[in-house]
């Protein structure tokens, strides 16, 4: 009886150990919901390398599995992480149409940066630093912030030579600041995820898009665009986040948290920025022999954009001041870091 009892106890201990080991392995395999096409540079050049860096930095204790299909539409991705549907997500702040990310809008304005690398590094430094970005990302651990390359204005109706040429165009925007600016210019804006643009553009539902140059290649839009206008520092920029569910983050060891932070934050901003810049360079080369006129915004157009941008920046700075932060100083700091003067 004694030997049977000992065997029973040993079996129970073994089962408990196996169960704990299995549970630990499952808990430490984190699921990342990704909504961009699997071959998009952000997926292949940022998400996948970052996942590999996490595994390496934690000696395999934490791994990240990138899903081949998203757990929801692009605008839902922040809440997917905050609500625990996914462990990790990324997305655009402008996809969330409430004011929870008020201070994030510093990364969306015109005249921010001529390269995504410079802009992303400055964005992380300023927004995550003096504007306390983590406080705006409730329910999550903020892992990364970045912006894409300078936003351009693409359409298939006419070259923009005067401010009046914007009027009446139907343009897809990602929401946020560029949607407001576009409406001020007389544009009819339509909000949609990037994956919907090809169909809407090819069917004539929209006349154009606001995108960095890489998107013309990435989303196969070159047959439906005739002119692309550049603005110093971008006619707009997009602010991106990558977040982890707060409870999942809290469940990690301090050692693993430190290891993940080392490959995230500023390092992730620089990685994402460099990937965007490489993608933009390839995109510009790709469209160079297409029937698309690429040109710099004429002076009257730039002057109008500056006038409207200043209005939006001032309104934003006033709103940010009410939350206890100096938005105007932060924006000046960002531009000082990227060398852009508007």
């Amino acid at each position: 009886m004694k030997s049977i009892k000992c065997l029973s106890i040993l079996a129970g201990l073994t089962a408990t150990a196996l169960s704990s080991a299995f549970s630990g392995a499952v808990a430490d395999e984190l699921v990342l919901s990704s909504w961009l096409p699997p071959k998009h540079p952000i997926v292949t050049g940022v998400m996948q390398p970052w996942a590999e860096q996490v595994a390496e930095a934690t000696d395999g204790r934490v791994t990240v599995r990138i899903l081949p299909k998203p757990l929801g539409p692009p605008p839902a991705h922040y809440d997917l992480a905050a609500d625990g549907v996914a462990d990790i997500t990324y997305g655009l702040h402008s996809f969330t149409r409430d004011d929870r990310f008020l201070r994030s809008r510093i990364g969306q304005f015109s005249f921010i940066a001529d390269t995504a690398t410079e802009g992303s590094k400055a964005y992380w430094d300023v927004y995550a630093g003096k504007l306390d970005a983590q406080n705006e990302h409730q329910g999550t651990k903020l892992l990364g912030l970045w912006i894409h390359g300078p936003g351009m204005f693409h359409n298939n109706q006419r070259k923009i030579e005067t401010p009046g040429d914007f009027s009446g165009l139907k343009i897809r925007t990602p929401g946020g600041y560029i949607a407001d600016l576009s409406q001020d210019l007389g544009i009819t804006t339509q909000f949609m995820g990037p994956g919907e643009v090809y169909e809407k553009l090819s069917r004539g539902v929209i006349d154009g898009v606001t995108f960095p140059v890489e998107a013309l290649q990435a989303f196969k839009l070159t047959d439906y665009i005739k002119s692309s206008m550049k603005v110093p520092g971008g006619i707009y920029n997009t602010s991106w986040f990558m977040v982890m569910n707060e409870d999942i983050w809290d469940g990690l060891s301090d050692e693993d948290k430190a290891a993940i932070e080392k490959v995230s934050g500023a390092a992730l901003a620089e990685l994402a920025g460099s990937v965007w810049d490489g993608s933009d360079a390839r995109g510009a080369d790709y469209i160079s022999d297409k029937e698309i006129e690429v040109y710099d915004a004429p002076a009257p157009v730039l002057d109008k954009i500056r006038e409207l941008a200043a209005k939006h920046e001032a309104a934003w700075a006033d709103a940010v001041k009410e939350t206890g932060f100096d938005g105007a100083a932060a924006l000046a700091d960002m531009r000082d870091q990227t060398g852009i003067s508007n």
Side-chain angles (χ1 to χ4, degrees), residues 126-139:
V126 173
Y127 179 37
K130 63 179 59 178
L131 293 183
D132 192 10
Q134 178 61 69
N135 182 257
E136 289 196 320
H137 293 74
Q138 297 293 317

Side-chain angles (χ1 to χ4, degrees), residues 7-81:
L7 286 172
S8 177
I9 292 171
L10 180 61
L13 290 172
T14 302
T16 301
L18 288 172
S19 175
S20 298
F22 179 74
S23 298
V26 171
D28 288 346
E29 182 188 66
L30 307 184
V31 172
L32 190 158
S33 180
S34 176
W35 49 269
L36 283 168
K39 293 185 179 180
H40 191 280
I42 286 296
V43 179
T44 60
V46 180
M47 298 302 148
Q48 292 174 0
W50 177 79
E52 293 168 2
Q53 290 169 8
V54 167
E56 182 179 356
T58 62
D59 293 325
R61 292 184 300 273
V62 180
T63 59
V64 178
R65 178 163 58 94
I66 301 172
L67 297 179
K69 293 184 179 179
L71 294 175
H77 268 63
Y78 182 81
D79 289 322
L80 290 178

Side-chain angles (χ1 to χ4, degrees), residues 69-261:
K69 293 184 179 179
L71 294 175
H77 268 63
Y78 182 81
D79 289 322
L80 290 178
D83 296 339
V85 178
D87 298 324
I88 304 169
T89 63
Y90 64 89
L92 278 67
H93 289 104
S94 62
F95 282 175
T96 305
R97 299 186 183 186
D98 53 37
D99 287 332
R100 75 178 91 172
F101 301 123
L102 170 66
R103 297 191 295 276
S104 78
R105 296 177 194 168
I106 192 173
Q108 297 179 31
F109 290 125
S110 310
F111 316 111
I112 289 294
D114 282 329
T115 70
T117 302
E118 292 174 335
S120 296
K121 290 165 63 178
Y123 187 50
W124 173 262
D125 182 63
V126 173
Y127 179 37
K130 63 179 59 178
L131 293 183
D132 192 10
Q134 178 61 69
N135 182 257
E136 289 196 320
H137 293 74
Q138 297 293 317
T140 72
K141 163 64 178 178
L142 181 62
L143 297 171
L145 296 165
W146 63 87
I147 65 173
H148 66 29
M152 297 171 63
F153 189 87
H154 315 276
N155 85 98
N156 57 24
Q157 297 298 305
R158 52 186 172 266
K159 182 177 180 179
I160 305 300
E161 297 182 293
T162 70
D165 291 332
F166 288 110
S167 184
L169 292 175
K170 302 186 296 292
I171 302 295
R172 177 268 178 186
T173 73
Y177 163 76
I178 185 57
D180 296 337
L181 177 70
S182 296
Q183 290 163 13
D184 288 348
L185 290 166
I187 292 167
T188 299
T189 62
Q190 292 197 29
F191 174 83
M192 64 189 73
E196 302 174 71
V197 171
Y198 177 87
E199 179 191 358
K200 298 293 176 66
L201 193 59
S202 64
R203 290 172 47 208
V205 176
I206 55 175
D207 302 316
V209 295
T210 53
F211 265 147
V213 67
E214 63 84 26
L216 299 188
Q217 179 182 16
F219 297 105
K220 300 179 173 59
L221 307 180
T222 53
D223 289 344
Y224 305 100
I225 294 296
K226 294 183 178 178
S227 70
S228 296
M229 186 181 73
K230 299 188 294 183
V231 168
I235 188 174
Y236 80 107
N237 293 272
T238 55
S239 60
W240 293 67
F241 61 81
M242 186 161 76
V243 293
M244 183 185 297
N245 174 268
E246 187 174 40
D247 291 336
I248 295 295
W249 175 258
D250 288 344
L252 299 176
S253 69
D254 289 344
E255 181 183 6
D256 288 340
K257 287 178 181 178
I260 292 170
E261 286 182 323

